[in-house]
Coordinates of all heavy atoms in Angstrom, one line a residue:
H1 N 69.8 -21.8 -108.7 CA 69.6 -21.2 -107.5 C 68.9 -22.0 -106.5 O 68.2 -23.0 -106.9 CB 69.0 -19.8 -107.6 CG 67.6 -19.8 -108.2 ND1 67.4 -19.5 -109.6 CD2 66.4 -20.0 -107.6 CE1 66.1 -19.6 -109.8 NE2 65.5 -19.9 -108.6
H2 N 69.0 -21.7 -105.2 CA 68.4 -22.5 -104.1 C 67.0 -22.0 -103.7 O 66.8 -20.8 -103.7 CB 69.3 -22.5 -102.9 CG 70.6 -23.2 -103.2 ND1 70.8 -24.5 -103.4 CD2 71.9 -22.6 -103.3 CE1 72.1 -24.8 -103.6 NE2 72.8 -23.6 -103.6
H3 N 66.1 -22.9 -103.4 CA 64.8 -22.5 -102.9 C 64.8 -22.9 -101.5 O 65.2 -24.0 -101.0 CB 63.7 -23.3 -103.6 CG 63.5 -22.9 -105.1 ND1 62.9 -21.8 -105.4 CD2 63.9 -23.5 -106.2 CE1 62.9 -21.6 -106.7 NE2 63.5 -22.7 -107.2
K4 N 64.3 -21.9 -100.7 CA 64.1 -22.2 -99.2 C 62.9 -23.1 -99.1 O 61.9 -22.8 -99.7 CB 63.9 -20.9 -98.5 CG 65.1 -20.1 -98.1 CD 64.7 -19.0 -97.2 CE 65.9 -18.4 -96.5 NZ 65.6 -17.3 -95.7
P5 N 63.0 -24.1 -98.2 CA 61.8 -24.9 -98.0 C 60.7 -24.1 -97.3 O 61.0 -23.3 -96.4 CB 62.3 -26.1 -97.1 CG 63.6 -25.6 -96.5 CD 64.1 -24.6 -97.5
Q6 N 59.5 -24.3 -97.8 CA 58.4 -23.5 -97.1 C 57.8 -24.5 -96.1 O 57.4 -25.6 -96.4 CB 57.3 -23.2 -98.2 CG 57.8 -22.1 -99.1 CD 58.0 -20.8 -98.5 OE1 57.2 -20.3 -97.7 NE2 59.2 -20.1 -98.8
L7 N 57.7 -24.0 -94.8 CA 57.1 -24.7 -93.8 C 55.6 -24.4 -93.8 O 55.2 -23.2 -94.0 CB 57.7 -24.3 -92.4 CG 59.2 -24.7 -92.3 CD1 59.7 -24.2 -90.9 CD2 59.4 -26.2 -92.4
P8 N 54.8 -25.4 -93.6 CA 53.3 -25.1 -93.5 C 53.0 -24.3 -92.3 O 53.7 -24.4 -91.3 CB 52.7 -26.5 -93.4 CG 53.8 -27.4 -92.9 CD 55.1 -26.8 -93.3
P9 N 52.0 -23.5 -92.4 CA 51.6 -22.7 -91.2 C 51.1 -23.6 -90.1 O 50.6 -24.6 -90.4 CB 50.4 -21.8 -91.8 CG 49.9 -22.5 -93.0 CD 51.1 -23.3 -93.6
V10 N 51.4 -23.1 -88.9 CA 50.9 -23.9 -87.7 C 49.4 -23.6 -87.6 O 49.0 -22.5 -87.5 CB 51.7 -23.4 -86.4 CG1 51.1 -24.1 -85.2 CG2 53.2 -23.6 -86.6
P11 N 48.6 -24.7 -87.6 CA 47.2 -24.5 -87.5 C 46.9 -24.0 -86.1 O 47.3 -24.5 -85.1 CB 46.6 -25.9 -87.7 CG 47.7 -26.8 -87.5 CD 49.0 -26.1 -87.8
M12 N 46.1 -22.9 -86.0 CA 45.7 -22.3 -84.7 C 44.3 -21.7 -84.9 O 44.2 -20.8 -85.6 CB 46.7 -21.3 -84.2 CG 46.3 -20.7 -82.9 SD 47.5 -19.5 -82.3 CE 48.9 -20.4 -81.8
N13 N 43.4 -22.3 -84.2 CA 42.0 -21.7 -84.3 C 41.9 -20.6 -83.4 O 42.8 -20.3 -82.5 CB 41.0 -22.8 -84.1 CG 41.0 -23.4 -82.7 OD1 41.2 -22.7 -81.7 ND2 40.8 -24.7 -82.6
E14 N 40.8 -19.8 -83.5 CA 40.6 -18.6 -82.7 C 40.6 -18.9 -81.2 O 41.1 -18.2 -80.4 CB 39.3 -17.9 -83.1 CG 39.5 -17.2 -84.4 CD 40.5 -16.0 -84.4 OE1 40.5 -15.3 -83.4 OE2 41.3 -16.0 -85.3
Q15 N 39.9 -20.0 -80.8 CA 39.8 -20.3 -79.4 C 41.3 -20.6 -78.8 O 41.5 -20.1 -77.7 CB 39.0 -21.6 -79.2 CG 37.5 -21.3 -79.4 CD 36.7 -22.5 -79.1 OE1 37.1 -23.6 -79.4 NE2 35.4 -22.3 -78.7
H16 N 42.1 -21.3 -79.5 CA 43.4 -21.6 -79.1 C 44.2 -20.4 -78.9 O 44.9 -20.1 -78.0 CB 44.1 -22.6 -80.0 CG 45.5 -23.0 -79.5 ND1 46.6 -22.3 -79.9 CD2 45.9 -23.9 -78.6 CE1 47.7 -22.8 -79.3 NE2 47.3 -23.8 -78.5
A17 N 44.1 -19.5 -79.9 CA 44.8 -18.2 -79.9 C 44.4 -17.3 -78.7 O 45.2 -16.7 -78.1 CB 44.6 -17.4 -81.2
A18 N 43.1 -17.3 -78.5 CA 42.6 -16.5 -77.3 C 43.1 -17.1 -76.0 O 43.5 -16.4 -75.1 CB 41.1 -16.5 -77.3
R19 N 43.1 -18.4 -75.9 CA 43.5 -19.1 -74.6 C 45.0 -18.8 -74.4 O 45.4 -18.6 -73.3 CB 43.3 -20.6 -74.7 CG 42.0 -21.0 -74.2 CD 42.0 -22.5 -73.8 NE 42.6 -23.3 -74.8 CZ 41.9 -23.9 -75.8 NH1 40.7 -23.7 -76.0 NH2 42.6 -24.6 -76.7
S20 N 45.8 -18.8 -75.4 CA 47.2 -18.6 -75.3 C 47.6 -17.2 -74.8 O 48.7 -17.0 -74.3 CB 48.0 -19.0 -76.5 OG 47.7 -18.1 -77.6
R21 N 46.7 -16.3 -75.0 CA 47.0 -14.9 -74.5 C 46.6 -14.6 -73.1 O 47.0 -13.7 -72.5 CB 46.3 -13.9 -75.5 CG 47.0 -13.8 -76.8 CD 46.4 -12.6 -77.6 NE 45.0 -12.7 -77.9 CZ 44.5 -13.2 -79.0 NH1 45.3 -13.7 -79.9 NH2 43.2 -13.3 -79.2
E22 N 45.7 -15.5 -72.6 CA 45.2 -15.3 -71.2 C 46.2 -16.0 -70.2 O 46.7 -17.1 -70.5 CB 43.8 -15.9 -71.1 CG 42.8 -15.2 -71.9 CD 41.5 -16.0 -72.0 OE1 41.4 -17.0 -71.3 OE2 40.6 -15.6 -72.7
P23 N 46.3 -15.4 -69.0 CA 47.1 -16.2 -68.0 C 46.4 -17.5 -67.7 O 45.2 -17.5 -67.6 CB 47.1 -15.2 -66.8 CG 46.3 -14.0 -67.2 CD 45.8 -14.2 -68.6
R24 N 47.2 -18.5 -67.5 CA 46.6 -19.8 -67.3 C 46.2 -19.9 -65.8 O 47.0 -19.5 -64.9 CB 47.7 -20.8 -67.5 CG 47.3 -22.3 -67.3 CD 48.1 -23.2 -68.1 NE 47.7 -24.6 -67.7 CZ 48.4 -25.5 -67.1 NH1 49.7 -25.2 -66.8 NH2 47.9 -26.6 -66.7
S25 N 45.0 -20.4 -65.6 CA 44.6 -20.6 -64.2 C 45.2 -21.8 -63.6 O 45.3 -22.9 -64.2 CB 43.1 -20.8 -64.1 OG 42.7 -21.1 -62.8
L26 N 45.8 -21.7 -62.4 CA 46.4 -22.8 -61.7 C 45.6 -23.2 -60.5 O 46.0 -23.9 -59.6 CB 47.8 -22.4 -61.2 CG 48.8 -22.1 -62.4 CD1 50.1 -21.6 -61.8 CD2 49.0 -23.3 -63.3
A27 N 44.3 -22.8 -60.5 CA 43.4 -23.2 -59.4 C 43.4 -24.7 -59.2 O 43.3 -25.5 -60.2 CB 42.0 -22.7 -59.7
G28 N 43.5 -25.1 -58.0 CA 43.5 -26.6 -57.7 C 44.9 -27.2 -57.8 O 45.0 -28.4 -57.4
Q29 N 45.9 -26.5 -58.2 CA 47.2 -27.0 -58.3 C 48.0 -26.5 -57.1 O 47.7 -25.5 -56.5 CB 47.9 -26.5 -59.6 CG 47.1 -26.9 -60.9 CD 47.1 -28.4 -61.1 OE1 48.1 -29.0 -61.0 NE2 45.9 -28.9 -61.3
W30 N 49.1 -27.2 -56.8 CA 50.1 -26.7 -55.8 C 51.4 -26.7 -56.4 O 51.8 -27.4 -57.2 CB 50.0 -27.8 -54.6 CG 48.8 -27.5 -53.7 CD1 47.6 -28.1 -53.9 CD2 48.8 -26.7 -52.6 NE1 46.8 -27.6 -52.9 CE2 47.5 -26.8 -52.1 CE3 49.7 -25.9 -52.0 CZ2 47.0 -26.1 -51.0 CZ3 49.3 -25.2 -50.8 CH2 48.0 -25.2 -50.4
A31 N 52.2 -25.7 -55.9 CA 53.6 -25.5 -56.3 C 54.5 -25.4 -55.1 O 54.2 -24.8 -54.1 CB 53.7 -24.2 -57.1
L32 N 55.6 -26.1 -55.2 CA 56.7 -26.1 -54.2 C 57.8 -25.2 -54.8 O 58.3 -25.6 -55.9 CB 57.2 -27.5 -53.9 CG 58.5 -27.5 -53.1 CD1 58.4 -26.9 -51.7 CD2 59.1 -29.0 -53.0
V33 N 58.1 -24.1 -54.2 CA 59.1 -23.2 -54.7 C 60.3 -23.2 -53.8 O 60.2 -22.8 -52.6 CB 58.6 -21.7 -54.9 CG1 59.6 -20.8 -55.4 CG2 57.3 -21.7 -55.8
T34 N 61.4 -23.8 -54.2 CA 62.6 -23.8 -53.4 C 63.2 -22.5 -53.5 O 63.2 -21.8 -54.5 CB 63.6 -24.9 -53.9 OG1 63.9 -24.6 -55.3 CG2 63.0 -26.3 -53.8
G35 N 63.7 -22.0 -52.3 CA 64.3 -20.7 -52.2 C 63.2 -19.6 -52.4 O 63.5 -18.5 -52.9
G36 N 62.0 -19.9 -52.0 CA 60.8 -19.1 -52.2 C 60.6 -18.0 -51.2 O 59.6 -17.2 -51.4
A37 N 61.4 -17.8 -50.2 CA 61.1 -16.9 -49.2 C 61.5 -15.5 -49.5 O 60.9 -14.5 -49.0 CB 61.9 -17.3 -47.9
R38 N 62.5 -15.3 -50.4 CA 63.0 -13.9 -50.6 C 63.3 -13.7 -52.1 O 63.5 -14.6 -52.9 CB 64.3 -13.6 -49.8 CG 64.1 -13.8 -48.3 CD 65.2 -13.4 -47.4 NE 66.5 -14.1 -47.8 CZ 67.6 -13.5 -48.0 NH1 67.7 -12.2 -47.8 NH2 68.7 -14.1 -48.3
R39 N 63.5 -12.4 -52.5 CA 64.0 -12.0 -53.8 C 63.1 -12.6 -54.9 O 61.9 -12.6 -54.9 CB 65.4 -12.2 -53.9 CG 66.3 -11.4 -52.9 CD 67.8 -11.5 -53.1 NE 68.3 -12.9 -53.0 CZ 68.8 -13.4 -51.9 NH1 68.8 -12.8 -50.8 NH2 69.2 -14.7 -51.9
V40 N 63.9 -13.2 -55.9 CA 63.2 -13.7 -57.1 C 62.3 -14.9 -56.7 O 61.1 -15.0 -57.2 CB 64.2 -14.2 -58.1 CG1 63.6 -15.0 -59.2 CG2 65.1 -13.1 -58.7
G41 N 62.7 -15.7 -55.8 CA 61.8 -16.8 -55.3 C 60.5 -16.3 -54.8 O 59.5 -16.9 -55.1
A42 N 60.5 -15.3 -54.0 CA 59.3 -14.7 -53.5 C 58.4 -14.2 -54.6 O 57.1 -14.3 -54.5 CB 59.6 -13.7 -52.4
E43 N 59.0 -13.6 -55.6 CA 58.2 -13.1 -56.7 C 57.5 -14.2 -57.5 O 56.4 -14.1 -58.0 CB 59.0 -12.2 -57.6 CG 59.3 -10.8 -57.0 CD 58.1 -10.1 -56.5 OE1 57.1 -9.9 -57.2 OE2 58.0 -9.8 -55.3
I44 N 58.3 -15.3 -57.7 CA 57.7 -16.5 -58.3 C 56.5 -17.0 -57.5 O 55.5 -17.4 -58.0 CB 58.8 -17.6 -58.5 CG1 59.8 -17.1 -59.5 CG2 58.2 -18.9 -58.9 CD1 61.1 -18.0 -59.6
V45 N 56.7 -17.1 -56.1 CA 55.6 -17.6 -55.3 C 54.4 -16.7 -55.5 O 53.3 -17.2 -55.6 CB 56.1 -17.6 -53.8 CG1 54.9 -17.7 -52.9 CG2 57.1 -18.7 -53.6
R46 N 54.6 -15.3 -55.4 CA 53.5 -14.4 -55.6 C 52.8 -14.6 -56.9 O 51.6 -14.5 -57.0 CB 53.9 -13.0 -55.4 CG 54.3 -12.6 -54.0 CD 54.6 -11.1 -53.8 NE 54.9 -10.8 -52.5 CZ 56.1 -10.7 -52.0 NH1 57.2 -10.8 -52.8 NH2 56.3 -10.4 -50.7
T47 N 53.6 -14.8 -58.0 CA 53.0 -14.9 -59.4 C 52.2 -16.2 -59.4 O 51.1 -16.2 -60.0 CB 54.1 -15.0 -60.4 OG1 54.8 -13.7 -60.3 CG2 53.6 -15.1 -61.8
L48 N 52.7 -17.3 -58.9 CA 52.0 -18.6 -58.9 C 50.7 -18.5 -58.1 O 49.6 -18.9 -58.5 CB 52.8 -19.7 -58.4 CG 54.0 -20.2 -59.3 CD1 55.0 -21.0 -58.6 CD2 53.5 -20.9 -60.6
H49 N 50.8 -17.8 -57.0 CA 49.6 -17.6 -56.1 C 48.6 -16.8 -56.8 O 47.4 -17.1 -56.7 CB 50.1 -17.0 -54.8 CG 49.0 -17.0 -53.7 ND1 48.2 -15.9 -53.5 CD2 48.7 -17.9 -52.8 CE1 47.4 -16.1 -52.6 NE2 47.6 -17.3 -52.1
A50 N 49.0 -15.7 -57.4 CA 48.1 -14.9 -58.1 C 47.3 -15.6 -59.2 O 46.2 -15.3 -59.6 CB 48.8 -13.6 -58.7
A51 N 48.0 -16.6 -59.8 CA 47.3 -17.4 -60.9 C 46.4 -18.5 -60.3 O 45.8 -19.3 -61.1 CB 48.4 -18.1 -61.7
G52 N 46.3 -18.6 -59.0 CA 45.4 -19.5 -58.4 C 46.0 -20.7 -57.7 O 45.3 -21.5 -57.0
S53 N 47.3 -20.9 -57.8 CA 47.9 -22.0 -57.2 C 48.1 -21.9 -55.7 O 48.2 -20.8 -55.2 CB 49.3 -22.2 -57.8 OG 50.0 -23.3 -57.2
G54 N 48.0 -23.0 -55.0 CA 48.5 -23.0 -53.6 C 50.0 -23.1 -53.7 O 50.6 -23.6 -54.7
V55 N 50.7 -22.6 -52.7 CA 52.1 -22.6 -52.7 C 52.7 -23.1 -51.4 O 52.2 -22.9 -50.3 CB 52.7 -21.1 -53.0 CG1 52.4 -20.7 -54.4 CG2 52.1 -20.1 -52.0
V56 N 53.8 -23.8 -51.6 CA 54.7 -24.2 -50.4 C 56.0 -23.5 -50.6 O 56.7 -23.7 -51.6 CB 54.9 -25.8 -50.4 CG1 55.7 -26.2 -49.2 CG2 53.5 -26.5 -50.3
V57 N 56.3 -22.7 -49.6 CA 57.5 -21.8 -49.7 C 58.6 -22.5 -48.9 O 58.6 -22.7 -47.7 CB 57.2 -20.4 -49.0 CG1 58.5 -19.6 -49.1 CG2 56.0 -19.8 -49.7
H58 N 59.6 -23.1 -49.7 CA 60.8 -23.7 -49.1 C 61.8 -22.7 -48.8 O 61.9 -21.7 -49.7 CB 61.3 -24.8 -50.1 CG 62.6 -25.3 -49.7 ND1 63.8 -24.8 -50.1 CD2 63.0 -26.4 -48.9 CE1 64.8 -25.5 -49.6 NE2 64.3 -26.4 -48.8
H59 N 62.5 -22.8 -47.8 CA 63.6 -21.8 -47.5 C 64.7 -22.5 -46.7 O 64.5 -23.6 -46.2 CB 63.1 -20.6 -46.7 CG 62.6 -21.1 -45.3 ND1 63.5 -21.1 -44.2 CD2 61.4 -21.5 -44.8 CE1 62.8 -21.5 -43.1 NE2 61.5 -21.8 -43.5
R60 N 65.9 -21.9 -46.7 CA 67.0 -22.4 -45.9 C 67.6 -21.2 -45.2 O 68.3 -20.4 -45.9 CB 68.0 -23.1 -46.8 CG 69.1 -23.8 -46.0 CD 70.1 -24.4 -46.9 NE 71.0 -23.4 -47.4 CZ 71.7 -23.4 -48.6 NH1 71.5 -24.5 -49.3 NH2 72.4 -22.4 -48.9
G61 N 67.2 -21.0 -44.0 CA 67.8 -19.9 -43.2 C 67.0 -18.6 -43.3 O 67.5 -17.5 -42.9
S62 N 65.8 -18.6 -43.8 CA 65.0 -17.4 -43.9 C 63.6 -17.6 -43.3 O 62.6 -17.3 -44.0 CB 64.8 -16.9 -45.3 OG 66.1 -16.7 -45.9
P63 N 63.5 -18.2 -42.1 CA 62.2 -18.5 -41.6 C 61.3 -17.3 -41.4 O 60.1 -17.4 -41.6 CB 62.5 -19.2 -40.2 CG 63.9 -18.7 -39.9 CD 64.6 -18.5 -41.1
D64 N 61.8 -16.2 -41.0 CA 61.0 -15.0 -40.8 C 60.4 -14.5 -42.1 O 59.2 -14.1 -42.2 CB 61.8 -13.9 -40.1 CG 62.2 -14.2 -38.7 OD1 61.6 -15.2 -38.1 OD2 63.1 -13.6 -38.1
A65 N 61.2 -14.4 -43.2 CA 60.8 -14.0 -44.5 C 59.7 -14.9 -45.0 O 58.7 -14.5 -45.6 CB 61.9 -13.8 -45.4
A66 N 60.0 -16.2 -44.9 CA 59.0 -17.3 -45.3 C 57.7 -17.1 -44.6 O 56.6 -17.1 -45.2 CB 59.6 -18.7 -45.1
A67 N 57.7 -16.9 -43.2 CA 56.5 -16.8 -42.5 C 55.7 -15.5 -42.9 O 54.5 -15.6 -43.0 CB 56.8 -16.8 -41.0
A68 N 56.4 -14.4 -43.1 CA 55.8 -13.2 -43.5 C 55.1 -13.3 -44.9 O 54.0 -12.9 -45.1 CB 56.8 -12.0 -43.5
L69 N 55.8 -14.0 -45.8 CA 55.2 -14.2 -47.1 C 53.9 -15.1 -47.1 O 52.9 -14.8 -47.7 CB 56.2 -14.8 -48.1 CG 55.8 -15.1 -49.5 CD1 55.3 -13.9 -50.2 CD2 57.0 -15.7 -50.3
V70 N 54.0 -16.2 -46.3 CA 52.9 -17.1 -46.1 C 51.7 -16.3 -45.5 O 50.6 -16.5 -45.9 CB 53.3 -18.3 -45.2 CG1 52.1 -19.1 -44.7 CG2 54.2 -19.2 -46.0
D71 N 52.0 -15.5 -44.5 CA 50.9 -14.7 -43.8 C 50.3 -13.8 -44.8 O 49.1 -13.6 -44.9 CB 51.5 -13.9 -42.7 CG 51.8 -14.8 -41.4 OD1 51.4 -16.0 -41.4 OD2 52.5 -14.3 -40.5
E72 N 51.1 -13.1 -45.7 CA 50.6 -12.2 -46.7 C 49.7 -12.9 -47.7 O 48.6 -12.4 -48.0 CB 51.8 -11.6 -47.4 CG 51.5 -10.9 -48.7 CD 52.7 -10.6 -49.6 OE1 53.8 -10.4 -49.0 OE2 52.6 -10.6 -50.8
L73 N 50.1 -14.1 -48.1 CA 49.3 -14.8 -49.1 C 48.0 -15.4 -48.5 O 47.0 -15.4 -49.1 CB 50.1 -15.9 -49.8 CG 51.3 -15.4 -50.5 CD1 52.2 -16.5 -51.1 CD2 50.9 -14.4 -51.6
N74 N 48.1 -15.9 -47.3 CA 46.9 -16.5 -46.6 C 45.9 -15.4 -46.3 O 44.7 -15.7 -46.1 CB 47.3 -17.3 -45.4 CG 47.8 -18.7 -45.7 OD1 47.4 -19.3 -46.7 ND2 48.8 -19.2 -45.0
A75 N 46.4 -14.2 -46.1 CA 45.4 -13.1 -45.9 C 44.6 -12.9 -47.2 O 43.4 -12.4 -47.1 CB 46.2 -11.8 -45.5
L76 N 45.2 -13.1 -48.3 CA 44.5 -13.0 -49.6 C 43.6 -14.2 -49.8 O 42.5 -14.1 -50.4 CB 45.5 -12.9 -50.7 CG 46.4 -11.6 -50.7 CD1 47.4 -11.7 -51.8 CD2 45.5 -10.3 -50.9
R77 N 44.0 -15.4 -49.5 CA 43.3 -16.6 -49.7 C 43.7 -17.6 -48.6 O 44.7 -18.2 -48.7 CB 43.6 -17.2 -51.1 CG 42.6 -18.1 -51.7 CD 42.7 -18.4 -53.1 NE 43.9 -19.2 -53.4 CZ 44.9 -18.9 -54.1 NH1 45.0 -17.7 -54.8 NH2 45.9 -19.7 -54.4
A78 N 42.8 -17.8 -47.7 CA 43.0 -18.6 -46.5 C 43.4 -20.0 -46.9 O 42.9 -20.7 -47.8 CB 41.8 -18.7 -45.6
G79 N 44.4 -20.6 -46.2 CA 44.9 -21.9 -46.4 C 45.6 -22.2 -47.7 O 45.8 -23.4 -48.1
S80 N 46.1 -21.1 -48.4 CA 46.7 -21.3 -49.7 C 48.2 -21.3 -49.7 O 48.8 -21.5 -50.8 CB 46.2 -20.2 -50.6 OG 46.6 -18.9 -50.1
A81 N 48.8 -21.1 -48.5 CA 50.3 -21.0 -48.5 C 50.8 -21.6 -47.2 O 50.2 -21.5 -46.2 CB 50.7 -19.5 -48.6
F82 N 51.9 -22.3 -47.4 CA 52.6 -23.0 -46.2 C 54.1 -22.8 -46.4 O 54.6 -22.6 -47.5 CB 52.3 -24.5 -46.2 CG 50.8 -24.8 -46.0 CD1 50.0 -25.0 -47.1 CD2 50.3 -24.9 -44.7 CE1 48.6 -25.2 -46.9 CE2 48.9 -25.2 -44.6 CZ 48.1 -25.4 -45.7
A83 N 54.8 -22.9 -45.3 CA 56.3 -22.8 -45.4 C 56.9 -24.1 -44.7 O 56.2 -24.7 -43.8 CB 56.8 -21.6 -44.7

């Protein structure tokens, strides 16, 4: 009969396990989100911003939506969003 190979357990200490469950801080980082003015792109922008990242909202044909999103995010953290 066949024996399944046993893979060794992945070593993970408690600190690493605790870190992997926490949202990663993106403070000091910048993200460029293409198509970031509306719908899914805007949610990605908000998620990155909430994690501490500065964001650049790229858009094609949605200048009003991009400006509104940038204003919303800069009201939360000045100078953290551009379009």
